[in-house]
């Protein structure tokens, strides 16, 4: 087994266990791993942004292909940094104005088309279908998202939830009934989202445990076992020291 | 000077907003090229926005170290992690692997970032479970509905659940494909209407919060 693989297993196991210690209580090992996580993540993002933006989008097109029009976004980007010079801090507004203006302009037609009209179109579907003989028919299959019954449920769901969030009319009478139906739909959706999220987290947890079990193998120097012992020992010492410290003693 | 400081940004927002809202309705190659170019520009400008965020993080932890505030040692760990990753990343030109062999930067990604990120999200499973225990008691009809939907979806996502309650798989699919879709769709429509209204307010200079306060 290559040295860097074994070292990687020890580092990955240690950091995993350090994060898991938070389940016991906040402690120095968790804080160490947490700060390292932030540092490494920021460092990684900086390198990736440097590689993508500075090298691939700016340096190579400008120097190798002579695309000097890129000096404009470079200049606008530099204006953002004017925030650090109080006398010319207002120049950064130009950069923000450009980004916000372009973003708003791009958003309006695309949001209307994709997120409003398309969603309405998919909601308002025929509630009956034409059978092969030519007569109207109503399909009841719940497992088929395209069935007429599901089309009806979808329509009721969308309209009632929209009513729930529509505050321009008082929620009384028929509007109250629609809004109450909307709440029921919302509750089911929140429950489903919760269940889905829990299972996704469980999947990640299983992934971490799989790694820990694999790294307990003698090929990796039983990294999981040794580091588990070391982590537990550190937690015991840390807890004992914390108990010895007078309250408010930092 | 007031014009430059206050009116010029509003004018730029207005012109850019109108031009790029109109671009959608001009199916000409030049119009498409303009969109491609400006998308690239936004990526470049976004890179500079990262500088603002990182500088703020640097400053925050530098102050902690300078004043020897409680936990300042962890700030040094953060600096070490960040500067070490940057140095190694730049050394290998930001590549995780070269000719199939993992670089030191790739090693950091696989053995530090992935386990840390995975475990951070994984421990949320425990906190979600404890939060569920506290808040999921069926105190009302709505809470009961939320609880039942969550249990069905949880059971329907694993083989054991389907074995215990065979209908849970189909029921999960129905909940996700129909009930959940209808709610998501309604929320999406509402959020989109809000986004369009906000965009219009920005373009016409009614909403100016993005320009910040400070000197006129």
């Amino acid at each position: 087994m290559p040295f860097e693989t074994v070292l990687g297993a020890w580092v990955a196991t240690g950091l995993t266990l350090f994060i898991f210690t938070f389940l016991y209580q906040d402690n120095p090992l968790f804080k160490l791993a947490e700060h390292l996580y932030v540092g490494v993540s920021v460092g990684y993002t900086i390198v990736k942004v440097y590689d993508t933006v500075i090298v691939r989008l700016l340096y190579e097109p400008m120097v190798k292909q002579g695309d000097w029009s890129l000096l404009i976004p470079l200049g606008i980007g530099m204006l953002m940094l004017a925030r650090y010079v109080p006398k010319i801090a207002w120049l950064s507004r130009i950069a923000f104005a450009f980004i916000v203006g372009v973003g708003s302009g791009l958003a309006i037609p695309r949001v209307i088309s994709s997120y409003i009209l398309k969603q309405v179109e998919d909601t308002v579907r025929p509630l009956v279908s034409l059978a092969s003989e030519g007569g109207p028919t109503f399909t009841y299959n719940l497992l088929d998202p395209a069935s007429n019954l599901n089309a009806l449920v979808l329509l009721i769901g969308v309209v009632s939830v929209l009513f729930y969030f529509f505050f321009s009319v008082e929620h009384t009478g028929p509007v109250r009934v629609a809004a109450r139906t909307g709440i029921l739909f919302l509750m089911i959706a929140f429950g489903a989202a919760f269940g889905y999220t829990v299972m996704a987290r469980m999947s990640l947890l299983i992934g971490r445990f799989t790694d820990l079990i694999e790294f307990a193998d003698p090929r990796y120097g039983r990294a999981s076992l040794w580091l588990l012992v070391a982590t537990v020992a550190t937690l015991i010492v840390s807890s004992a020291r914390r108990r010895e410290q007078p309250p408010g003693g930092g | 000077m007031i014009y430059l400081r206050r009116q010029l940004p509003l004018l730029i927002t207005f012109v850019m907003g109108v031009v790029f809202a109109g671009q959608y309705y001009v199916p000409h190659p030049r119009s498409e090229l303009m969109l491609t170019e400006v998308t690239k520009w936004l990526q470049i400008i976004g890179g500079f926005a990262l500088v603002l965020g990182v500088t703020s993080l640097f400053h925050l932890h530098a102050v902690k170290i300078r004043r020897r505030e409680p936990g300042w040692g962890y700030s040094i760990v953060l600096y070490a992690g960040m500067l070490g990753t940057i140095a190694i990343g730049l050394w290998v030109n930001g590549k995780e692997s070269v000719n199939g062999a993992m670089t030191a930067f790739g090693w950091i990604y696989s053995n530090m970032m992935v386990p840390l990120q995975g475990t951070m999200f994984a421990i949320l499973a425990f906190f979600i479970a404890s939060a569920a225990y506290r808040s999921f008691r069926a105190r009302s009809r709505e809470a009961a509905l939320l609880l039942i939907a969550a249990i069905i979806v949880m059971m329907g996502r694993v083989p054991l659940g389907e074995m215990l309650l065979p209908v849970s798989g189909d029921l999960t699919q129905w909940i996700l494909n129909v009930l959940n879709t209808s709610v998501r769709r309604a929320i999406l429509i509402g959020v989109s209407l809000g986004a369009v209204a906000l965009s219009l307010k920005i373009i016409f200079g009614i909403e100016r919060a993005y320009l910040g306060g400070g000197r006129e």
Side-chain angles (χ1 to χ4, degrees), chain B residues 14-29:
Chain B
F14 177 75
V15 172
M16 287 298 145
V18 171
V19 166
F20 284 96
Q23 182 280 330
Y24 185 80
Y25 303 99
V26 185
H28 191 274

Side-chain angles (χ1 to χ4, degrees), chain A residues 14-219:
Chain A
L15 294 175
T16 301
L17 291 172
F18 289 179
I19 297 286
F20 275 138
T21 58
F22 190 69
L23 294 171
Y24 169 60
Q25 64 177 31
D26 197 8
N27 66 82
L29 291 178
F30 172 76
K31 281 184 185 151
L32 183 102
E34 183 194 25
H35 282 76
L36 196 61
Y37 174 44
V38 175
V40 170
S41 300
V42 172
Y44 184 83
T45 310
I46 290 172
V47 173
K48 281 289 161 194
V49 168
Y50 169 80
D51 186 48
T52 314
V53 175
I54 306 293
V55 178
R56 286 171 207 226
L57 289 176
L58 273 176
Y59 177 76
E60 286 178 0
M62 276 205 295
V63 177
K64 292 183 182 169
Q65 295 155 27
D67 183 2
W68 296 102
S69 69
L70 292 172
L71 282 172
I72 300 170
L74 177 67
I76 296 173
M78 297 293 274
L79 286 180
M80 268 193 176
L81 306 183
R83 273 185 107 76
Y84 295 117
V85 187
K87 276 192 173 177
I88 54 163
W90 62 273
L91 279 173
S92 66
R93 286 177 180 171
I94 292 174
F96 289 116
F98 181 83
I99 295 173
V100 172
V102 173
S104 303
L106 288 177
I108 292 172
R110 285 161 184 82
V111 166
I112 292 174
S113 167
S114 310
Y115 297 132
I116 300 177
L117 297 180
K118 185 80 180 81
Q119 299 300 326
V120 172
E121 183 192 332
D122 285 350
T123 304
V124 187
R125 293 208 314 256
L127 296 181
V128 286
S129 320
L130 276 180
S132 50
E133 305 89 54
T137 178
F138 190 87
T139 50
Y140 294 91
N141 187 3
L142 278 175
L143 293 178
D144 175 17
S147 73
N148 297 126
L149 181 60
N150 279 336
L152 189 62
V153 174
L154 257 166
L155 180 66
I156 293 170
V158 172
V159 173
S160 60
V161 172
L162 282 174
F163 260 110
Y164 175 70
F165 286 113
F166 189 64
F167 300 112
S168 297
V169 290
E170 201 179 338
H171 285 191
T172 50
V175 179
R176 181 181 152 79
V177 175
R180 295 289 301 170
T181 311
I183 293 176
L184 299 182
F185 271 89
L186 279 166
M187 284 299 155
I188 294 172
F190 290 153
F194 181 87
Y196 201 84
T197 308
V198 168
M199 296 321 284
R201 298 284 183 262
M202 283 295 169
S203 168
L204 278 171
L205 192 64
I206 291 166
R208 296 318 308 140
F209 280 140
T210 307
D211 276 1
L212 288 180
I213 292 165
E214 189 189 338
F215 296 150
D217 197 87
R219 287 179 301 147

